[in-house]
Amino acid sequence: MKHPVLKTKRQVMSAVICAYPGGRECASARLGYELKKFDNHLYENAGNRPLSDEQIHLLEQDAGTTHLPEYIATLYGGLFVPLAEPESLDNVELYSRSVKTAAKRGAVDQFIAKALENGAIDKGEADTILAAHRRYMAARHAEVLATILLHSQGTKQ
C-alpha cells in the first residue's frame, strides 16, 4: 500500500479524515463536534486550534491508520514501529508479516527502478523511495520483534 509523503500536520489530519469510516461527518461526531466546528478545527479557521494529538490518535484508532506517529517519527529521522500484541502471535501471523515485509521491499525496488528509467532520481522520486524504504524497515523491525516475542522463553503460545 502506497502512502503519500506527509510533510505537515495538516496533511496528516486530512489523511486521517479521508481514511476514517464515514469521513468528516462521522469523525466530527466521534469527537463530539458539530460538522462546522469540526471543520474549523480541521482547517484552523476562525481562530480555532487544530485537532490535538489525542483527538487524532482517537480517530486513527478507529480508522486503523498510523499517519500521526509516522509523521512525528519522520520529523526526528526515525521510524514508527508498531509493537505486536503477544496474544495475536503465532507462526501463521509471523509468516503473514514476512510476506508483507517482502512486498514492501519489492515496492522500494520498484520505485527505484521506475525512477531510474530516465537515468536520474529527482527530489519527488527520492522522497517516494525513502518513504517506501521507511515503511519497509519498520515492517522488518516489527517482524523481528514479533519473532523474538513469540519464541522467547517464558512466552506462552
Side-chain angles (χ1 to χ4, degrees):
M1 172 162 70
K2 181 181 174 190
H3 296 293
V5 178
L6 302 176
K7 297 185 181 200
T8 67
K9 192 168 179 185
R10 183 175 283 187
Q11 289 177 338
V12 168
M13 291 187 302
S14 179
V16 171
I17 301 309
C18 287
Y20 197 82
R24 286 178 27 254
E25 294 81 8
C26 292
S28 66
R30 177 69 168 103
L31 295 178
Y33 288 134
E34 302 245 348
L35 187 57
K36 179 66 175 166
K37 181 154 179 68
F38 178 75
D39 284 344
N40 285 339
H41 283 286
L42 190 59
Y43 302 112
E44 301 175 47
N45 294 334
N48 286 284
R49 291 187 166 179
L51 297 175
S52 70
D53 291 349
E54 291 78 16
Q55 289 171 317
I56 297 170
H57 177 255
L58 180 65
L59 296 176
E60 285 207 288
Q61 293 283 321
D62 294 345
T65 62
T66 56
H67 297 297
L68 182 62
E70 289 172 5
Y71 165 73
I72 293 170
T74 301
L75 287 177
Y76 289 91
L79 303 170
F80 171 66
V81 180
L83 301 177
E85 298 291 329
E87 57 276 354
S88 72
L89 290 176
D90 59 20
N91 285 321
V92 173
E93 172 63 18
L94 291 182
Y95 176 74
S96 176
R97 284 173 179 263
S98 73
V99 169
K100 290 175 184 174
T101 300
K104 288 179 182 183
R105 176 171 180 188
V108 173
D109 294 339
Q110 287 178 335
F111 288 133
I112 292 171
K114 179 78 173 155
L116 290 175
E117 285 178 355
N118 68 356
I121 298 175
D122 65 32
K123 172 82 169 101
E125 291 168 331
D127 289 346
T128 300
I129 292 166
L130 290 173
H133 184 64
R134 279 191 298 276
R135 288 189 297 275
Y136 161 68
M137 294 301 294
R140 177 64 178 145
H141 192 73
E143 178 188 349
V144 169
L145 292 176
T147 301
I148 291 168
L149 182 61
L150 179 63
H151 295 287
S152 291
Q153 288 185 333
T155 303
K156 297 211 175 205
Q157 294 185 26

